[in-house]
Amino acid sequence: MTSTMFRVGTWNLDGRWDDRCEAAVAKVSADVWLLTEVPAGAVPPGYRPYWSTAPLVAGRHWSAVLVRDTARVIARWDGDLHPASAAAVVGGFVFCSSVLPWRSCGRDEPWEGTTTADKTAAVTRRLADSLPRGATVWGGTWSHGFTGPERSGSVEGRVHVREAVEKLDLRVVTEESPHRLEGLSSIDHVAVPAQASVKTVRKVEMKANRRHLSDHDAYVVDVRLGGTRRTRR
């Protein structure tokens, strides 16, 4: 069975985009970017964007999947995504970027439920029921760490995220990656098929002139995915 090496990056842009951000993205040289809090103009040369269906605010998207133009078999994923998620099919695999609920996200759309855990359960169950099992690369700002103290999401919310990951037959390769804040684990993640071969996982400080370009670091994964899979259940 043939396989393909992908470099996958996830980065929360915090609504920012300028020449410095574009240069930082170009330096990573990812095949697929799973971006969150994305300005509408955040499309570097050589990439094709796939946006979340609901805007975060005017001119800004919850999430986006950016695919390098040289990638093979690119198409929009037409499954039943949550409005704060975006997805595209690349080489038979679905690449999905999501923002998951956090403690202060409020009760308005696109969230359902009253507690952080309830909102997280609603989103992750919908995604787990839509995305193809074993043929998905899922990432973005999940608003939950997996180890240590929980400052953004909820401990119960972690359980719901793990349940979705297991249902999709994935593993979270950023589970032990550090947050920018000392003593916390990352809330930005990439999960790949359980049987995929992961070469490297690294945190990348996205900076210009020694200054951070966003409130979040980027996380970059080099992963070998197997031959073309079905992207339907």
Side-chain angles (χ1 to χ4, degrees):
M1 178 182 293
T2 59
S3 61
T4 303
M5 181 67 74
F6 286 90
R7 174 164 292 171
V8 183
T10 190
W11 187 25
N12 184 317
L13 291 170
D14 197 28
R16 306 170 189 174
W17 186 257
D18 56 23
D19 291 345
R20 299 170 303 164
C21 297
E22 185 175 305
V25 165
K27 187 175 181 180
V28 171
S29 191
D31 300 298
V32 181
W33 275 103
L34 308 176
L35 300 180
T36 52
E37 295 193 47
V38 193
V43 184
Y47 286 87
R48 190 179 309 180
Y50 297 86
W51 308 104
S52 55
T53 58
L56 173 55
V57 294
R60 190 187 304 180
H61 299 269
W62 285 105
S63 58
V65 177
L66 301 187
V67 185
R68 197 188 292 275
D69 282 338
T70 54
R72 59 192 178 92
V73 195
I74 308 172
R76 178 176 296 279
W77 169 247
D78 59 359
D80 182 28
L81 284 178
H82 185 267
S85 294
V89 182
V90 186
F93 288 82
V94 175
F95 289 77
C96 179
S97 178
S98 300
V99 175
L100 299 184
W102 62 100
R103 290 183 186 179
S104 59
C105 67
R107 298 186 180 184
D108 296 332
E109 293 183 353
W111 315 120
E112 301 175 14
T114 55
T115 68
T116 305
D118 289 343
K119 296 169 194 172
T120 303
V123 178
T124 54
R125 286 170 185 166
R126 180 169 174 176
L127 291 172
D129 287 341
S130 174
L131 295 168
R133 186 175 189 273
T136 293
V137 176
W138 180 28
T141 301
W142 290 1
S143 307
H144 291 74
F146 287 100
T147 61
E150 183 60 61
R151 300 287 176 82
S152 177
S154 69
V155 173
E156 186 180 349
R158 287 182 181 181
V159 175
H160 296 309
V161 178
R162 285 189 183 278
E163 288 173 347
V165 167
E166 291 173 3
K167 184 172 182 179
L168 290 169
D169 193 24
L170 307 178
R171 56 188 172 110
V172 184
V173 296
T174 50
E175 183 168 338
E176 297 183 2
S177 296
H179 196 286
R180 266 186 60 191
L181 301 178
E182 187 175 354
L184 298 178
S185 61
S186 177
I187 62 171
D188 299 287
H189 294 288
V190 176
V192 303
Q195 302 305 314
S197 175
V198 177
K199 182 178 179 181
T200 61
V201 179
R202 56 195 172 100
K203 181 169 77 75
V204 179
E205 293 185 331
M206 305 295 265
K207 290 182 175 180
N209 299 321
R210 299 184 180 180
R211 298 186 65 179
H212 288 279
L213 298 172
S214 164
D215 289 342
H216 297 248
D217 290 326
Y219 296 84
V220 181
V221 177
D222 290 300
V223 57
R224 184 172 295 279
L225 300 178
T228 301
R229 310 272 188 98
R230 291 184 303 112
T231 54
R232 298 288 186 185
R233 288 185 183 275

